[in-house]
Amino acid sequence: MSALSYTGQSGSWLDALPLGNGTLGAMVDATDQSTRLHLNDETAWSGSPDSEHRRGQVDAAAAAAALAAARAHLAEDRAAEAEAELAVLSAEYGQTFLPFGTVQIDLPGGHALTRRWLDLADATHHIQGSGLEQTSFASHPDGVLVHHIVADAALSDPVFTVSVSTPLAELGRTVTTDGLSVQLRLPADVAPGHRPDRPAVVWELDGIDPLQGAIVVSVRHDGNAAPDGSGALRITGAREILVCVATETTFTGAGRPAAGTAADAAATASVRLGAVAGAGVDDLAARHRLDYTALFDRVNLDLPGPADAHASSAPDRLERAATDPRPAAMTDPGLVSLLFDYGRYLVIAGSRPGGLPATLQGLWNEAMQPPWSSNYTLNINTEMNYWGAHVAQLGETAEPLFTFVEALADRGRHTAERLYGCRGWVAHHNSDGWAFSSPVTGDASWAQWPMAGVWLVRQLDEVRRFGTATPDQLARLWALAHGAARFCLDFLVELPGGSLTTRPSTSPENQYFLDARPVAAGSGSTMDRTLLRELFTLLPALAAESGQADDPILAEATAALARIPGPRIGSDGTLLEWDRERLETNPQHRHVSHLVGLYPGDGLDAEHARAASATLDRRGDDSTGWSLAWKLCLRARLHQPAKVDDLLELVLRPARDDAGPHAGGLYPNFFAAHPPFQIDGNLGFVAAVCEMLLQSHTDTFELLPALPASLPEGRVIGLASRGGVLVDLVWSEGALVSVALRAREERFAGPRLIGYRGRRHEVVVPTAGIRLFLAPDGTLHSREP
């Protein structure tokens, strides 16, 4: 059973359990006295598209002067002076993903919760208590959140109260005998927490037309109901209650202005509820399960463990594994498969076609001023959210990123021209639901990084590499890649020796010492050069598949590629992070940006892979949740199972408030800790587990390349490879037992190279599939030994 199970009440938001249908999210907070459904709507953002330049914007002439001055300083290695010039290019900050409200159901007196659990197999939350059974799910096909209550005869004359509260500005409320409706206005501006010089929340601003929205709740029951006079609905004598929730805002799309009013939003939500008014809970649940399992059941990971593991609550399992003298994954291998399933569940629940991509916290946020505004950090976190999507056969969940990047490119064209005098499009380290594309105000180490578009295109190209791109997606991807390449070709500067580089350049969020002071700006960081090389390398294949093989930009990109140096190795045997030997201000920094070529890139040659390994050794293991996930992927790519085990030990531990700001782990609800909570640690873990079991970034499928000793037994069904092949694996005593291969389409059938423990095997893969067994001599055969 793949479930997060608990025997006690939820004590905090990080103890509540998440539901989501891609648009509407809820944290189910269950106690003896009440059940609270803390709501998020993916479109609930502060501000508007005009927020980016509300305080004005630098004009093209001033930007050109600042850029020229900064480049002149950097040519002389005067980083601090260059950073002062570059500050002119900045806008203020991106806007904030907001909480939407809470539906609270007060329960009859005397109720005591006995158990609650989230079943990942069907995306349903359950609560058992004295006299009550409660079930919740967020239906994607019906677009509503469903909460069902059944009271048994032990409760005499039960009384329930249904209410709605919100941290947003309430414009109006209606309560009837069959439901509630609350109309809302969102704030005009919410500043990030690292900007205490700005008001935290501002409700009205000249030039900003903020969103409006609504929460509409329908309540069906077999008792008696009446408004209680305080804005809530009181229900007496009911034995069955069905609560359905719909939310809506006036959001029309990333980068586009709002349209309509709160009343319009309420009407739209009411129509959605009306469409399910005649459906019983069994019908609603059946449609929900059919939709969800069509995605979730594509992959199955089975890691046998203690027979009694599922009898314990999730926090108790984690605590027991973390304190056992054996490695945590060995003590309870099921924790690895549970966290893997949870990551897949979270991306299905939080990211569906037609919506926005997952934020730093996915679809779930409790605070009006959340960490880093719970928006999009494009220098690692947004990309990491989708690293596991295609290999886990969840490519549909990455479509929101695709459409978002198209909106970002649209706004980024103006930014590229105005700030840099370049064609194409640009984005920087931070964005929001309005497709903010400018550098933010702040330290150059995070603000002055114009390579986000390049990394986003490289991530989006996975749909082509895995063989699932439609002709429409290929055309859209080509447009994005062409624009990103056009910007880079214009942005590059020529060095005296004839090579090309980026200037200014940073290695995201890290700094080095120059004249005893920390600085970030420079020329041609390893990450910049690597991303450029990856982009220019993928262009010809993408052009061929999208019918653009004659585009003249290909010749430009190929010529530029030959002049962009690859990664360099320093005197200490590690990969250089910048263009020359530098002394980092923090040698254990959480970002490992200069290793992007190893993972998620196309990989490094043997010499540079050894340098990457030395770099990771120097960086150290412990770090934030998302950094642990990245390091897991990197160590797996290096075929280092012992280091994978070391990192799993750091992931599979309870998050501690006193552990410091850069020590990961898991909160009681298994959300990954930065700390604080960031969902990239959960979603990146999916990619890391897949990378341990299957690698397909070269012309060889590597089987179990980094299987840790803590997971000697197991099987996985349905992993996807690049090149359109599905792979099943069985292993025992740490060794491969069998592999099954099936081409997804006829065009992917044919000979493939299979790698296992240093040996290469050529296998013809048909669409009907083939299963091969490992013989004692290390060869693969179609007959079981």
Side-chain angles (χ1 to χ4, degrees), residues 296-373:
F296 187 79
D297 289 353
R298 292 172 181 173
V299 171
N300 178 265
L301 174 65
D302 180 24
L303 300 173
D308 62 348
H310 297 295
S312 301
S313 71
D316 287 348
R317 286 181 68 180
L318 187 64
E319 184 69 33
R320 184 169 61 246
T323 55
D324 193 284
R326 296 170 296 170
M330 181 178 291
T331 301
D332 189 351
L335 285 173
V336 175
S337 55
L338 178 60
L339 196 58
F340 175 78
D341 284 347
Y342 194 36
R344 295 190 301 126
Y345 165 83
L346 290 170
V347 77
I348 295 169
S351 184
R352 291 291 196 105
L356 289 168
T359 73
L360 277 174
Q361 296 183 184
L363 186 54
W364 302 275
N365 165 41
E366 67 168 334
M368 286 293 287
Q369 198 177 27
W372 302 287
S373 301

Side-chain angles (χ1 to χ4, degrees), residues 29 43 104 131 145 161 187 304-305 360 376 400 403 538 575 612 631 755:
D29 183 1
T43 65
Q104 179 165 320
L145 174 67
T161 302
L360 277 174
Y376 302 112
T403 55
L538 72 82
L575 279 187
K631 290 174 181 177

